[in-house]
Amino acid sequence: MSLEVTDLRVEIGGRPVVDGVSFAVPDGARVGIIGESGSGKSLTALAILGLLPDGARASGSVRWNGREILGLPDRELARLRGDDIGMVFQEPRTALNPIRTVGRQIGESVRIHERVSRREALRRAVAEAERVALPDPERIVSRYPHQLSGGQRQRVAIAMALACRPRLLIADEPTTALDVTIQAGVLTLLRTLVQDAGMSLVFITHDLAVLAQVATHAVVLEHGRVVEQGGVADLLHAPSSPVTQALLRDATATLWHPERAHPSVSDAAAAAVQDGPALTAPSGGAIDASVAGEDGATPPTAPTEPGASETGRTP
């Protein structure tokens, strides 16, 4: 399965906000879309899935496994979303339904796409909660979103997106609202799940240091246009566009450095070109604050005391 985006354009009120974006995601590739706020990266992802806001109009071509999906009726797109293509949104607090248990929400896509019983959907929800390293899965699926920490809510969102084993995952700034320590655990989880399942990934971010941990190739946007694309290692060590150079300066200004502060990131960047398929552009109640496992360590079997949850971070 592969994704090909060709000359994608999005207009809102007659104003172009995505202007001629083209890139490809081969089967098993991990591609990042990066740019500053307002660059059009999130709108690119929403256009791919047919989830643009009212008043937005998309044109161009989006082909999934050779099939044109841009402009498909909502009913047909709904079959693709969750089944073939999963999406993790930026803020799980708004993406999750506050009046439904997280187990019901994880199991909902399984019930819709696979027509299983409620009992089987719950069993699958527990299995998915365990898969994304949530502590005490059988208990946590009975909780509501407000009873979980931010990192746990994002893991629930990931479990929802992956419950039907999609072939492509689109993750839109999934760690922006998380503390840096918790962010690292979620990034490790995403990378591991994608690699183990052999699925493709489109990862959207404004942070080059984050991108280096999960993607092998990148597409850089500015004002809705592609200004540079290529291997992440090349962008880290020889960025050609002023936008990419600025993103690299921003990343290193936060004490991150591809050669120094985080060796694992440097290693990932150094191996980026060899680590994935080639990218070619075609002719986007109480808080369970058990965050000790959010950094990639084995999660605890019981929640810690409230107050240990992540602190929000404004990008």
Side-chain angles (χ1 to χ4, degrees):
M1 298 267 183
S2 63
L3 176 72
E4 293 184 13
V5 177
T6 307
D7 195 27
L8 178 65
R9 300 173 186 272
V10 177
E11 293 185 353
I12 298 179
R15 181 175 64 91
V17 289
V18 175
D19 191 2
V21 169
S22 297
F23 63 93
V25 185
D27 190 22
R30 303 195 304 277
V31 177
I33 300 178
I34 186 168
E36 297 175 345
S37 178
S39 62
K41 54 190 184 294
S42 292
L43 285 171
T44 297
L46 294 175
I48 291 170
L49 288 172
L51 294 174
L52 286 170
D54 291 341
R57 185 175 66 86
S59 61
S61 175
V62 177
R63 301 184 72 84
W64 169 245
N65 198 31
R67 178 191 182 192
E68 182 62 55
I69 63 173
L70 188 66
L72 280 181
D74 286 343
R75 178 172 293 183
E76 292 188 52
L77 283 171
R79 295 193 188 104
L80 287 175
R81 293 193 292 258
D83 197 2
D84 278 9
I85 304 175
M87 184 159 185
V88 180
F89 294 95
Q90 179 173 346
E91 178 46 74
R93 187 186 294 273
T94 56
L96 299 176
N97 189 327
I99 62 173
R100 289 187 176 183
T101 64
V102 297
R104 184 176 176 184
Q105 294 183 67
I106 295 171
E108 185 173 20
S109 62
V110 178
R111 293 201 69 201
I112 292 172
H113 292 283
E114 300 182 19
R115 300 181 182 277
V116 302
S117 66
R118 288 183 182 274
R119 182 185 296 273
E120 174 61 16
L122 178 59
R123 186 194 70 78
R124 289 278 294 274
V126 172
E128 291 303 314
E130 182 175 10
R131 185 183 180 208
V132 298
L134 281 165
D136 197 356
E138 292 188 358
R139 180 186 59 83
I140 212 164
V141 296
S142 66
R143 294 299 182 98
Y144 291 88
H146 71 275
Q147 295 175 301
L148 307 182
S149 72
Q152 289 173 344
R153 284 194 294 268
Q154 195 59 283
R155 287 172 186 261
V156 169
I158 294 170
M160 290 170 59
L162 299 183
C164 290
R165 301 298 190 270
R167 298 306 306 154
L168 169 67
L169 178 65
I170 300 176
D172 184 6
E173 302 247 24
T175 60
T176 296
L178 303 179
D179 175 87
V180 173
T181 303
I182 299 171
Q183 180 184 89
V186 172
L187 290 173
T188 299
L189 172 70
L190 268 176
R191 186 176 62 246
T192 301
L193 291 173
V194 167
Q195 288 177 330
D196 289 351
M199 72 178 75
S200 305
L201 173 69
V202 173
F203 189 93
I204 297 166
T205 183
H206 65 279
D207 190 331
L208 194 55
V210 168
L211 183 72
Q213 297 180 63
V214 293
T216 60
H217 297 82
V219 180
V220 184
L221 299 185
E222 181 186 33
H223 303 314
R225 297 178 180 175
V226 177
V227 295
E228 186 173 1
Q229 60 178 301
V232 170
D234 294 333
L235 300 186
L236 288 173
H237 299 294
S240 62
S241 74
V243 174
T244 312
Q245 293 166 7
L247 290 169
L248 184 58
R249 284 196 300 271
D250 290 344
T252 55
T254 59
L255 304 182
W256 175 87
H257 196 284
E259 304 287 354
R260 192 168 59 244
H262 294 276
S264 61
V265 175
S266 178
D267 293 343
V273 174
Q274 293 81 17
D275 196 22
L279 173 69
T280 56
S283 26
I287 295 176
D288 280 343
S290 47
V291 298
E294 296 286 4
D295 60 355
T298 303
T301 57
T304 59
E305 291 300 316
S309 60
E310 83 297 338
T311 57
R313 179 172 63 87
T314 302

